[in-house]
Amino acid sequence: MITLDETTARRDHSIDQEIIGLLDRLCKDLESIAAYLNEPDSQLLKFKPVIYPQGSINLGTTVKPIGSDEFDVDVISQLDVSERTPTTAFKKLIFERLEKRGIYKLRMMNRCIRVQYANEFHIDITPAIPDHDQGPENILVTDKEAGCWKESNPKDYRTWFEEIAALQPSLLYEDRELMRKFAAAEPLPAPKFTRPPLHRIIQLMKRHRDTMFTGDKRAPISAIITTLAAQSYEHHAKSDGFSNQVQFIRAVVGAMPEFIVRTNGIGAVPNPANPLENYADKWTAKPERQKAFYAWHERVVAHFDKILDSIDRGKDILFEELSNAYGKERVKKAVLEESEQRKILFEHKLGVTKRSGFTAPIEKAAKIGASVMSVPKHTNFGE
């Protein structure tokens, strides 16, 4: 049980103030260009079948591929075709229709048709048909390796994911009742990610995976990371309070394997919206992928442990650990941008004037919406 006092509460708030903004800045740099796909001149509008996004583009957890400006966009192309139609024939039908236009660079993949756009992005179009036996939003998708239709449900998965993402962890230093015990203490607002915390946690783990595996096909797929992270996030967001957000993130990441369903030593990660779909279905035939998941998970847990450990060891240790996981140049850019933003907010909160360097009247701070409070000396990255 954590004992809260004013000193501990303010220290935990300082930890989040130091790290959360920087992690969020990193995530901003990793985000996809998904927004422009909805613009009127989007190439997606050329596809006449019913098309809707799935995967990372659908959830808002996309990250840039390492060493490339090209983005991977996953979509479902749903047609009301009989389940008796061979999957190969279905894919060929869509492939040939696109090929006739003569403007696409196409590639037949395992479960999809890839439309390549040079130096921009590629769209993976997965043909699908309604799965009337399982319910309104359930679908069947093509799978070359299995040679049959396979169950899926990206629409209801998104609903499930967004409900969990709306949950917020309980932080002790935000607890008003506990803080009332201290005469002059006011609850401290937690520094916030600019996207829901669950999205940011997943983006950070996916970038860590990409850095660790660099194109190795054994790398854990995004669906496994996203599903396990969401299940762990829900569990911890509904549990007891945490000292700070960084410790909450560490708890979410650390507990992910607990939500793997195990049968005879082989793990499964069912789609919560359609348990007939197993995101870890390759683990049976390719056990090296299951081993790779646990190897990666051990590394990513150690990564967040090092972030927590760096709190009392200095900014250089934190910078080094973040650089190892996400790339030195990207981290350096995030540090500089976050430092400048913190400087601006710091000046506004105290009402410091650039001309004199003196603290301006409180009314000035109030006009810009800043809360007036005692601010400890800044030690983050030279500010």
Side-chain angles (χ1 to χ4, degrees):
M1 181 67 182
I2 299 172
T3 301
L4 183 72
D5 54 36
E6 183 178 358
T7 301
T8 302
R10 293 193 178 275
R11 179 179 181 276
D12 286 329
H13 178 266
S14 178
I15 289 170
D16 282 351
Q17 193 74 41
E18 184 84 11
I19 295 175
I20 294 300
L22 180 56
L23 293 178
D24 187 61
R25 186 74 60 174
L26 284 167
C27 286
K28 285 182 179 179
D29 190 51
L30 299 175
E31 284 186 329
S32 74
I33 50 174
Y36 87 96
L37 294 178
N38 292 318
E39 296 177 358
D41 61 347
S42 170
Q43 290 91 334
L44 278 180
L45 297 180
K46 297 177 181 178
F47 300 111
K48 297 304 181 182
V50 177
I51 288 182
Y52 53 90
Q54 68 165 339
S56 301
I57 200 79
N58 191 33
L59 303 176
T61 58
T62 305
V63 297
K64 284 183 180 179
I66 292 178
S68 172
D69 290 329
E70 184 175 296
F71 293 84
D72 179 7
V73 179
D74 293 310
V75 300
I76 291 291
S77 176
Q78 185 170 327
L79 297 175
D80 193 3
V81 177
S82 170
E83 184 178 345
R84 291 174 294 179
T85 305
T87 59
T88 53
F90 194 7
K91 286 172 62 178
K92 185 178 179 181
L93 177 66
I94 296 178
F95 185 93
E96 290 179 347
R97 180 183 178 186
L98 296 175
E99 192 175 40
K100 285 182 180 179
R101 298 190 178 183
I103 61 175
Y104 304 120
K105 182 179 178 181
L106 304 175
R107 182 182 174 187
M108 192 73 80
M109 310 293 286
N110 173 36
R111 297 180 65 173
C112 65
I113 299 164
R114 177 164 294 178
V115 183
Q116 189 76 48
Y117 293 89
N119 300 322
E120 294 181 12
F121 61 93
H122 63 257
I123 302 176
D124 286 342
I125 305 174
T126 300
I129 61 176
D131 186 354
H132 299 292
D133 293 337
Q134 296 299 319
E137 302 298 349
N138 287 276
I139 58 175
L140 296 168
V141 298
T142 56
D143 191 291
K144 182 179 178 181
E145 289 186 9
C148 62
W149 296 99
K150 296 189 68 174
E151 296 83 0
S152 190
N153 189 336
K155 287 186 177 180
D156 285 340
Y157 183 98
R158 178 180 177 177
T159 300
W160 169 82
F161 180 86
E162 289 181 341
E163 288 176 354
I164 294 175
L167 300 173
Q168 294 294 323
S170 174
L171 304 175
L172 295 183
Y173 60 69
E174 286 191 309
D175 192 305
R176 184 168 297 277
E177 293 301 321
L178 287 173
M179 293 304 287
R180 279 178 180 172
K181 296 180 181 179
F182 314 119
E186 288 293 331
L188 295 165
K192 301 295 185 182
F193 284 116
T194 55
R195 298 287 305 280
L198 177 57
H199 291 68
R200 293 311 199 198
I201 294 171
I202 291 169
Q203 287 178 310
L204 289 166
M205 287 194 291
K206 287 168 65 174
R207 170 56 71 217
H208 184 281
R209 171 206 60 188
D210 293 344
T211 303
M212 177 176 171
F213 286 91
T214 57
D216 190 332
K217 292 185 178 180
R218 297 175 301 165
I221 63 173
S222 295
I224 291 176
I225 294 174
T226 300
T227 302
L228 296 178
Q231 291 170 326
S232 182
Y233 183 97
E234 179 180 30
H235 171 77
H236 286 92
K238 293 179 178 180
S239 65
D240 294 336
F242 289 82
S243 296
N244 53 67
Q245 291 183 77
V246 182
Q247 287 190 348
F248 171 76
I249 294 172
R250 165 60 179 83
V252 169
V253 175
M256 286 169 59
E258 297 176 15
F259 298 90
I260 295 174
V261 179
R262 293 176 176 82
T263 305
N264 298 324
I266 300 297
V269 182
N271 178 348
N274 187 339
L276 295 177
E277 180 178 22
N278 174 21
Y279 294 128
D281 57 353
K282 298 290 192 297
W283 285 7
T284 301
K286 301 177 180 179
E288 66 274 12
R289 296 198 178 190
Q290 181 172 243
K291 292 179 181 178
F293 169 82
Y294 284 104
W296 165 77
H297 181 259
E298 183 179 348
R299 288 270 293 274
V300 77
V301 168
H303 165 60
F304 283 104
D305 280 340
K306 289 178 181 177
I307 289 179
L308 282 168
D309 186 54
S310 72
I311 292 167
D312 296 319
R313 298 178 61 195
K315 61 187 180 184
D316 291 339
I317 301 297
L318 174 61
F319 182 84
E320 180 180 0
E321 179 55 32
L322 293 176
S323 297
N324 291 337
Y326 309 117
K328 185 175 181 179
E329 291 304 315
R330 178 171 282 111
V331 173
K332 182 178 179 180
K333 179 175 178 287
V335 167
L336 292 174
E337 291 177 352
E338 184 65 14
S339 180
E340 181 62 27
Q341 182 66 24
R342 290 282 302 281
K343 181 179 179 181
I344 293 171
L345 293 176
F346 181 68
E347 289 177 349
H348 283 175
K349 188 166 288 188
L350 288 182
V352 176
T353 63
K354 292 184 178 180
R355 180 179 301 175
S356 66
F358 291 107
T359 303
I362 290 177
E363 288 78 12
K364 178 179 180 181
K367 287 180 181 179
I368 61 172
S371 60
V372 180
M373 58 175 285
S374 175
V375 180
K377 179 180 178 181
H378 279 247
T379 60
N380 62 304
F381 306 105
E383 289 303 325

